Amino acid sequence: MKQDFSGMTAEQLSELFPVLLEKHNPGWKAHYEDEKKFLEQVFGDNLVRISHIGSSSVPGLLAKPTVDILLEAAGDTDLDAVTERMMEEGYVVNTPKGDLIMYLKGYTPQGFQGQAFHIHVRHSRDWGELYFRDYLIAHPEAAAEYAALKTGLRAQYPHDRDGYTEAKGQLVKALTERARLEFPGRYTPDTPKG
């Protein structure tokens, strides 16, 4: 079922989809595994690597109740055909900077419904999000620092998802740089992990 947000202003969308934070839900891993199976069917042989990223992938971390998935696709993937199928399944299409395309699920004109997903589709590379996730898992003190920052920013940007994300940027960049030093070359395309 296709979702239509065309008549809504940016202000209406920000009110409908506020920044939410929740205590870690162990069920997010199962949601990821189920979604992974579906995406493997849709992308088939064009799927290079698929990984659970974002705060929902870090056990114990305060997170938006969204399962973020990094899907690395082959260069010859027919994204038009994939997009048609994803839209038929109720996904909303977005094209943020850095992704080839992004599919969102759980967003409806009535607000969030069901489990929210962000599927970031990119070509295969040494993506920072994978290092950042691993660093937070390996360093609980860094995860606690990140959770405290998110809590403060949630209060500051309750209806500004972009502002909230941008404000986290400096810490995310610093921790990702530390992770790359600690885990050099861990996610180069010839060594799939996920």
Side-chain angles (χ1 to χ4, degrees):
M1 178 175 152
K2 295 182 181 181
Q3 303 293 342
D4 184 13
F5 297 93
S6 58
M8 299 183 85
T9 66
E11 185 176 278
Q12 289 171 318
L13 288 169
S14 70
E15 287 295 321
L16 194 59
F17 303 112
V19 176
L20 302 174
L21 289 176
E22 294 182 4
K23 183 177 155 185
H24 187 82
N25 178 350
W28 288 329
K29 181 173 174 55
H31 288 301
Y32 162 72
E33 293 296 337
D34 290 342
E35 198 70 9
K36 178 181 176 183
K37 289 175 191 165
F38 166 73
L39 293 168
E40 287 170 341
Q41 286 180 337
V42 172
F43 281 82
D45 292 340
N46 290 308
L47 193 146
V48 176
R49 177 170 52 196
I50 187 166
S51 306
H52 188 182
I53 60 171
S55 294
S56 69
S57 69
V58 179
L61 182 60
L62 183 74
K64 287 184 295 191
T66 300
V67 174
D68 282 283
I69 297 175
L70 174 59
L71 189 149
E72 296 172 75
D76 60 352
T77 303
D78 183 351
L79 285 179
D80 290 336
V82 167
T83 298
E84 185 61 34
R85 170 84 189 277
M86 297 293 279
M87 290 175 68
E88 287 170 3
E89 296 289 336
Y91 287 83
V92 177
V93 176
N94 196 355
T95 53
K97 184 179 176 182
D99 293 342
L100 295 171
I101 196 165
M102 183 174 170
Y103 303 108
L104 310 174
K105 186 177 181 182
Y107 293 76
T108 74
Q110 294 75 41
F112 290 112
Q113 290 187 358
Q115 178 59 56
F117 289 92
H118 292 175
I119 315 299
H120 304 265
V121 180
R122 302 178 187 162
H123 293 304
S124 187
R125 290 207 178 85
D126 194 37
W127 295 108
E129 291 92 338
L130 299 169
Y131 290 90
F132 181 66
R133 173 199 65 197
D134 290 358
Y135 193 82
L136 293 180
I137 291 170
H139 298 275
E141 72 288 351
E145 178 184 3
Y146 185 52
L149 175 66
K150 292 194 306 179
T151 300
L153 293 175
R154 163 48 182 99
Q156 189 176 348
Y157 298 97
H159 295 282
D160 182 358
R161 294 166 74 88
D162 291 336
Y164 168 84
T165 299
E166 187 176 316
K168 297 185 302 180
Q170 188 174 3
L171 180 60
V172 170
K173 181 179 178 189
L175 295 178
T176 301
E177 288 172 2
R178 287 185 212 165
R180 286 186 179 279
L181 291 173
E182 187 169 329
F183 314 120
R186 178 177 275 190
Y187 290 105
T188 54
D190 61 340
T191 57
K193 307 250 191 301

